[in-house]
Amino acid sequence: MNFLIGSGTSSRAISLMGDISTETFEERNKILLKQVEKVSKSLIRGDYNADSEITLHDYEDFILSISDVLNNANARTTPKEAIIFTTNYDLFIEKALDNVMTQTPLVFNDGARGYFNRYLDGSNYNKSVSYRGLNNNYIDELPSLSLIKPHGSVNWKQVQRDKILIKDEVVEDNPVVVPPTGYEDETTFLNNHFHDMLRIFQLELDKPQSVLFTIGFSFQDKHIAQMIRRALNNRELVIVCFCYSNDDKKKYLSNLELSENKSNLKFVTPEEFEEEHLTLGSLSAILRGDF
């Protein structure tokens, strides 16, 4: 079970590019990064405002919903594993995970290796963790959640050419992020770590009977859109796109450069649930079976 999360999920707490009025992409990206850093710092301190609190609660509910689904899965037939791919570089997911880890047996993996100094290493993904009985009389696979951020994070610091340190604070000077310029694919391939993360994304889509849920993601990233188009050739893959508004379906198809729906590409619109908008909270409710 895979999730692709875009900037729409954090828009309540962080201004989007379209809300920033400046002359150049570079200036807009600088303003956006400062806003993301500001919100992420407040999350770490715990003194966030009402908008951030609502967004954080949505993420917490989302993670607990994933945990419930994985706990009910039969490990003999389906791995108890979910992966969140997000192009956001804020710390909402990390803070939400930190808040709910005492409420769930979920094992979290952000790709880091180390203890005091935690370095990003793509080879740390695709691991499973099991609970072994005291007398070794049974093995129970624990549900696991991996977080992959192919556009970086405000708490990532490049310490060497090919070495990224994941910190427990916002990096003040040049965090490792890929700004939304429309040419993210070019920047991404300049860094081996980002390339590895997108490769994991592609491999997950190529697996048999794989499912990808997307939320808050409009496929404007041309490289990821290309990967999605290619992956749709895998007939055992199902992609379910949650649309914020009823008009988003046309926009998503246009960004994917598709003239019509593929049989394994599904769009879920607010009108199907008699709602005005579909949000991350809507996806959580659907995962729990509340809709």
Side-chain angles (χ1 to χ4, degrees), residues 1-69:
M1 183 166 58
N2 305 293
F3 300 88
L4 176 59
I5 295 180
S7 59
T9 55
S10 302
S11 59
R12 182 187 289 113
I14 300 173
S15 296
L16 302 180
M17 294 299 291
D19 299 325
I20 303 172
S21 177
T22 57
E23 294 183 359
T24 67
F25 261 124
E26 183 178 355
E27 291 173 345
R28 295 168 73 187
N29 286 329
K30 286 182 179 179
I31 295 173
L32 177 64
L33 178 58
K34 290 298 181 184
Q35 290 174 331
V36 173
E37 290 176 341
K38 180 180 178 180
V39 171
S40 296
K41 287 178 181 178
S42 71
L43 288 172
I44 294 174
R45 293 193 305 266
D47 62 354
Y48 33 82
N49 59 26
D51 286 337
S52 292
E53 185 173 6
I54 293 172
T55 302
L56 181 61
H57 174 75
D58 286 345
Y59 275 109
E60 292 171 352
D61 192 36
F62 174 58
I63 292 166
L64 289 174
S65 298
I66 293 175
S67 178
D68 288 343
V69 172

Side-chain angles (χ1 to χ4, degrees), residues 10 17 66 89 92 98 135 142 187 204 216 274-276:
S10 302
M17 294 299 291
I66 293 175
Y89 37 86
F92 273 105
D98 194 49
N135 296 318
L142 295 175
T187 309
E204 285 297 321
E274 299 181 352
E275 296 284 333
E276 183 178 359

Side-chain angles (χ1 to χ4, degrees), residues 74-86:
N74 185 344
R76 294 182 179 179
T77 59
T78 306
K80 290 188 173 185
E81 176 188 18
I83 301 178
I84 295 178
F85 297 91
T86 180

Side-chain angles (χ1 to χ4, degrees), residues 86-90 149-154 156 176-178 194 197:
T86 180
T87 54
N88 298 343
Y89 37 86
D90 59 64
K149 305 178 83 167
H151 285 178
S153 185
V154 292
W156 289 7
V176 182
V177 299
V178 179
F194 297 152
M197 292 175 201

Side-chain angles (χ1 to χ4, degrees), residues 118-218:
R118 305 176 67 246
Y119 295 100
L120 186 64
D121 188 341
S123 65
N124 287 331
Y125 293 113
N126 298 321
K127 291 181 178 180
S128 61
V129 179
S130 299
Y131 179 80
R132 185 180 61 193
L134 294 177
N135 296 318
N136 294 329
N137 55 337
Y138 69 90
I139 295 179
D140 182 22
E141 182 182 342
L142 295 175
S144 64
L145 177 64
S146 295
L147 175 63
I148 298 180
K149 305 178 83 167
H151 285 178
S153 185
V154 292
N155 65 328
W156 289 7
K157 181 180 178 65
Q158 187 152 7
V159 292
Q160 294 179 17
R161 177 181 173 84
D162 198 28
K163 203 168 187 179
I164 293 175
L165 177 67
I166 299 181
K167 306 191 71 175
D168 59 359
E169 61 185 3
V170 174
V171 175
E172 295 289 345
D173 185 26
N174 294 324
V176 182
V177 299
V178 179
T181 61
Y183 298 94
E184 291 92 336
D185 56 334
E186 296 179 8
T187 309
T188 297
F189 274 101
L190 293 177
N191 191 294
N192 289 335
H193 290 291
F194 297 152
H195 178 268
D196 288 345
M197 292 175 201
L198 286 177
R199 183 173 177 271
I200 294 172
F201 178 64
Q202 188 70 70
L203 290 174
E204 285 297 321
L205 298 184
D206 287 341
K207 288 181 179 180
Q209 299 181 350
S210 185
V211 179
L212 173 68
F213 298 96
T214 74
I215 183 78
F217 194 84
S218 61

